[in-house]
Amino acid sequence: MEGAEAAAREALSTEKAFEREALPAWSEQITVRSVVVSTALGVFLSFIVMKLNLTSGIVPSLNMSAGLLAFFLMKTWTSALERCGVFPKPFTRQENTVVQTCVISCSSIAFSGGFGTYILGMSKKIAEGFDEAKTSINVEEPSLGRLIAFLFLVSFVGLFSIVPLRKIMIISYKLTYPSGSATAHLINSFHTPQGAIQAKQQVSILFKSFIGSFLWSLFQWFYSGGAGCGFSYFPTFGMEAYRRRFYFDFSATYVGVGMICPYIINFSLLLGSVVSWGIMWPYIESKRGSWYDAELPRSSLHGLNGYQIFISIAMIIGDGLFNFLTILVRTSYDMYLKRRRPAEAATKPFAGIDNNERQALSFDDRRRTQVFLKDQIPTSIAAGAYVLLAAISVVAIPHIFRQLKPKHVVWAYAVAPVFAFCNAYGTGLTDWSLSSSYGKLAIFIFGASIGARDGGVVAGLAACGLMMGIVSTASDLIQDFKTGYLTLTSPRSMFVSQVMGTGLGCIISPVVFWIFYKAYDVGLEEGYPAPYAKIYRGIALLGVNGWNQLPKYCLRFCLAFFLLAVAICALKEVAKHRGWWLQDYIPSALGMAVPFFLGSFFTIDMCVGSIVLYLWSKSDPVRAHMFAPAVASGLICGDGIWSLPSSILSLLNINPPMCMRVFSAETNFQVEEFLYTLRNPSAT
């Protein structure tokens, strides 16, 4: 009986399926074709991430999409050469992993680079929406050269800060890194005979979805010739609902995002929309003239805009602070247990799983550990590189942002490795990166210590960028190491790929941002509102000015919603710890907070995506599970890549030929009456 069970476990081994394949050296895993494909995909996904970053600020994980697209392009490359009589080296799962790593490290700079948060938060365009701190010392206009220089300084430091701890994270602590593990299993499945057939079907579905989404975006463009024109402004649920930002804007991107995001996140977004735009803002608006001056412009922080921004900030900080403290406590307790029983940890490298699991995974883990420890990255080189980059940054960053002094940069680089470790460890446990929470903490600390008179707003935002750049890249690197560990990819080739991707991202992402920034009114209500830029500047203003600038009763609302966010997070944590069925139905406080400022139009789109996925799963669960990620990725990619030709057309002053707008019956009568008087002046 035991022999039969052992044979069954061996049959389930992933690495047994690849046992006869020769393992390529680390230098052979990085090829010219992989660099070319990585660069092309990096540009492609950077446009998608940038568009999402500048519209709603919600960016789903694209790891699996990148793995699938890498497989498709590399297979297309090798097949084309074979048809021409050239037989290249086989495309391996290691090369697939290297491409995926390079692409994600490149495109993630479009998010962690802060183009939709702290960079825009410094700009004059965003500062004009606030009443305070609009002097030149607290405003910095984006500059392409300065952006590239700053990103090169801060992005690489995170890589070198965490490299010495990779064995502890992956081998000793056996952290799961769910997204990295899921991507590895996907890549492994592609390179088995059965998985290759399934991957071909997924690629076909993705391509059809991509073409449909792209053509739909092109079709919409023809009707968007003016402000408020096109399908994106169609009052689906009536004019009053449209005024409250409740409408379906026909965005393929957010329908796809809704298919990827968990149901509870989409429900949380919709719930937050109803609570804010359906109940709270109409109530507070009814107090206009009583709680705040009725003559204030809509953008003033002393009016409705102040309630929207700061209540949203309160919920985001409440959620982030709770998760930060929870992960910190969990990390400390976990490390305490491991240090308390070092002998057990040394003799039981797979501690934390039962004996049956350990026997089932023994061959795979033995093989993976052997490869993972083979190509070392010397700790001395990593430490030396960190110190060197930190020294250069101490001198260079104060020249990029004059509000930051060398001593501020020294302090930031002194604490950054600690935060990088905490975030990387927490991501491994929960799959939730809190890099933005560390960034917000830096805004408060540096902004308050410097003050508004000396440019504390810009200094806090720049410190946020420094901290986010280091902490985010560190957790991304360890997650990619986990993917490499599960696909037998050399850590050295993974690190080189990460460095190449980060370098590409430091150039590609600022250029992509610059295209958007020059082609559109980024930061305004229409098109690309960049809501988090206003939120981050609002946090910086709180740091330098305190609570005095808030409108009447706003602080009470902020405290109430801060406590609500903490209570929701605590209830979710307790339900998860005790295994209550309720845990799957508790909303996300962060998800609820996002539409408080932005509105609910994108939440409707995402809920449509959830409904499509739910109905598909009910009617054909097997095909839905297999092809839904490919359909969603195609919808996101097709609509996202349209932003490139759309931006080029805008830069060339080529405008859509038609404007489609919907009016209420009363407004339509007035318009017709006005047009009639223009055509028949004698009738007046």
Side-chain angles (χ1 to χ4, degrees):
M1 187 71 177
E2 290 183 3
E5 289 180 358
R9 285 194 298 268
E10 186 171 304
L12 293 173
S13 170
T14 300
E15 297 308 325
K16 280 289 184 182
F18 297 99
E19 192 175 14
R20 296 182 180 180
E21 293 184 5
L23 194 65
W26 77 269
S27 57
E28 295 175 348
Q29 296 171 15
I30 303 173
T31 60
V32 173
R33 65 187 181 188
S34 68
V35 174
V36 173
V37 169
S38 297
T39 304
L41 278 178
V43 173
F44 181 75
L45 289 185
S46 291
F47 268 94
I48 294 168
V49 173
M50 191 66 69
K51 180 180 179 179
L52 294 171
N53 202 14
L54 296 177
T55 48
S56 71
I58 299 174
V59 182
S61 173
L62 297 175
N63 289 47
M64 299 183 75
S65 300
L68 178 60
L69 289 168
F71 178 84
F72 166 64
L73 288 182
M74 293 294 283
K75 277 293 187 182
T76 302
W77 180 305
T78 54
S79 298
L81 289 177
E82 287 172 359
R83 288 172 185 171
C84 296
V86 179
F87 296 94
K89 290 182 178 179
F91 174 47
T92 63
R93 57 182 175 143
Q94 287 80 22
E95 193 175 3
N96 200 156
T97 305
V98 164
V99 174
Q100 183 268 338
T101 299
C102 188
V103 170
I104 289 300
S105 60
C106 174
S107 60
S108 64
I109 299 293
F111 178 75
S112 65
F115 302 102
T117 53
Y118 66 86
I119 293 296
L120 269 180
M122 300 177 187
S123 68
K124 184 178 180 180
K125 192 180 294 184
I126 298 299
E128 288 296 329
F130 295 83
D131 299 329
E132 296 83 13
K134 294 192 287 187
T135 56
S136 59
I137 194 69
N138 283 303
V139 175
E140 288 287 347
E141 281 297 293
S143 164
L144 182 59
R146 193 163 55 179
L147 286 176
I148 293 174
F150 182 70
L151 288 176
F152 265 106
L153 287 171
V154 303
S155 298
F156 287 97
V157 177
L159 302 180
F160 293 106
S161 67
I162 203 71
V163 163
L165 302 175
R166 66 184 180 87
K167 286 191 290 186
I168 295 175
M169 300 285 201
I170 305 298
I171 304 296
S172 301
Y173 291 168
K174 304 293 292 180
L175 297 177
T176 55
Y177 290 97
S179 291
S181 298
T183 305
H185 293 314
L186 181 72
I187 292 173
N188 282 334
S189 71
F190 285 165
H191 293 268
T192 60
Q194 183 180 358
I197 297 172
Q198 179 178 317
K200 187 176 180 180
Q201 293 174 328
Q202 287 176 317
V203 166
S204 175
I205 293 291
L206 185 146
F207 184 71
K208 292 175 183 176
S209 175
F210 170 85
I211 294 297
S213 177
F214 184 86
L215 292 177
W216 172 242
S217 299
L218 172 62
F219 176 76
Q220 288 188 84
W221 177 80
F222 283 100
Y223 297 91
S224 58
C229 298
F231 287 87
S232 298
Y233 302 95
F234 188 82
T236 323
F237 307 112
M239 299 306 296
E240 182 60 27
Y242 176 81
R243 196 172 74 83
R244 299 292 178 190
R245 301 193 183 186
F246 281 92
Y247 58 95
F248 178 62
D249 76 342
F250 296 90
S251 169
T253 292
Y254 285 107
V255 172
V257 171
M259 293 178 70
I260 292 177
C261 287
Y263 293 128
I264 192 62
I265 295 297
N266 297 332
F267 169 74
S268 301
L269 290 166
L270 184 61
L271 179 62
S273 301
V274 173
V275 169
S276 56
W277 291 90
I279 301 173
M280 283 194 59
W281 305 156
Y283 173 73
I284 293 175
E285 217 169 2
S286 69
K287 301 296 182 181
R288 187 173 184 175
S290 174
W291 288 7
Y292 59 93
D293 189 351
E295 302 301 320
L296 286 173
R298 187 173 182 82
S299 61
S300 175
L301 277 183
H302 296 291
L304 180 62
N305 193 44
Y307 293 97
Q308 292 173 343
I309 288 179
F310 291 113
I311 292 174
S312 176
I313 288 173
M315 288 199 74
I316 290 171
I317 291 176
D319 181 281
L321 185 63
F322 182 89
N323 283 290
F324 172 73
L325 293 176
T326 301
I327 290 175
L328 186 64
V329 170
R330 189 183 300 173
T331 299
S332 303
Y333 183 69
D334 192 63
M335 294 177 67
Y336 166 74
L337 291 180
K338 286 180 169 63
R339 288 185 177 277
R340 190 177 180 184
R341 295 175 289 184
E344 181 181 347
T347 56
K348 297 182 179 180
F350 310 116
I353 56 177
D354 61 38
N355 189 55
N356 290 334
E357 283 186 291
R358 189 158 61 246
Q359 290 178 10
L361 298 175
S362 61
F363 176 81
D364 283 1
D365 280 305
R366 224 174 24 247
R367 180 85 168 118
R368 290 164 178 168
T369 302
Q370 179 186 12
V371 173
F372 192 74
L373 299 178
K374 181 181 177 183
D375 296 320
Q376 294 292 328
I377 302 169
T379 301
S380 57
I381 292 178
Y386 184 87
V387 172
L388 177 62
L389 287 172
I392 295 172
S393 298
V394 168
V395 176
I397 288 179
H399 289 283
I400 298 174
F401 296 111
R402 65 189 189 280
Q403 296 84 351
L404 277 178
K405 305 304 179 187
K407 63 179 181 180
H408 301 136
V409 182
V410 170
W411 276 109
Y413 275 90
V415 300
V418 178
F419 288 163
F421 170 77
C422 292
N423 191 53
Y425 195 104
T427 304
L429 289 173
T430 65
D431 204 31
W432 189 269
S433 175
L434 296 176
S435 58
S436 60
S437 297
Y438 294 102
K440 295 183 186 83
L441 182 63
I443 293 176
F444 272 113
I445 294 174
F446 286 89
S449 64
I450 294 172
R453 181 178 297 178
D454 296 320
V457 173
V458 171
L461 292 170
C464 165
L466 195 154
M467 197 64 65
M468 278 182 65
I470 295 173
V471 171
S472 178
T473 52
S475 62
D476 288 346
L477 176 66
I478 300 298
Q479 180 138 256
D480 287 334
F481 273 142
K482 181 68 175 185
T483 305
Y485 170 79
L486 294 171
T487 57
L488 297 191
T489 308
S490 167
R492 192 171 295 178
S493 66
M494 293 291 290
F495 184 74
V496 172
S497 176
Q498 185 88 16
V499 169
M500 287 193 304
T502 302
L504 288 170
C506 291
I507 298 172
I508 292 170
S509 291
V511 172
V512 171
F513 169 74
W514 204 246
I515 292 173
F516 277 93
Y517 193 71
K518 291 298 182 182
Y520 303 105
D521 287 328
V522 175
L524 300 181
E525 290 295 321
E526 305 290 344
Y528 296 92
Y532 278 99
K534 300 177 181 70
I535 288 174
Y536 273 59
R537 188 170 184 90
I539 294 173
L541 288 172
L542 279 181
V544 298
N545 292 334
W547 305 99
N548 298 329
Q549 62 179 320
L550 300 183
K552 192 175 183 180
Y553 302 125
C554 186
L555 183 57
R556 296 183 185 181
F557 277 113
C558 288
L559 180 61
F561 278 89
F562 174 87
L563 295 175
L564 175 64
V566 172
I568 290 172
C569 293
L571 180 61
K572 186 183 285 286
E573 191 69 24
V574 171
K576 182 179 178 181
H577 181 71
R578 299 195 176 183
W580 294 347
W581 63 269
L582 188 67
Q583 63 176 309
D584 295 329
Y585 300 95
I586 300 173
S588 162
L590 181 62
M592 289 178 62
V594 172
F596 269 52
F597 177 76
L598 188 57
S600 57
F601 59 93
F602 72 97
T603 69
I604 304 293
D605 298 348
M606 293 177 68
C607 286
V608 168
S610 283
I611 292 170
V612 169
L613 179 61
Y614 177 79
L615 295 176
W616 191 4
S617 299
K618 287 295 182 182
S619 62
D620 191 349
V622 175
R623 289 181 64 83
H625 177 75
M626 187 183 301
F627 296 122
V631 171
S633 299
L635 291 174
I636 295 170
C637 294
D639 189 28
I641 204 61
W642 166 249
S643 60
L644 175 57
S646 175
S647 301
I648 294 172
L649 290 172
S650 180
L651 290 171
L652 296 174
N653 292 319
I654 300 175
N655 299 314
M658 293 174 280
C659 172
M660 183 182 76
R661 298 190 69 176
V662 178
F663 299 109
S664 65
E666 181 181 353
T667 305
N668 183 62
F669 176 77
Q670 293 173 351
V671 170
E672 287 184 349
E673 191 175 49
F674 175 73
L675 292 175
Y676 177 78
T677 58
L678 286 179
R679 295 193 193 103
N680 304 279
S682 60
T684 60

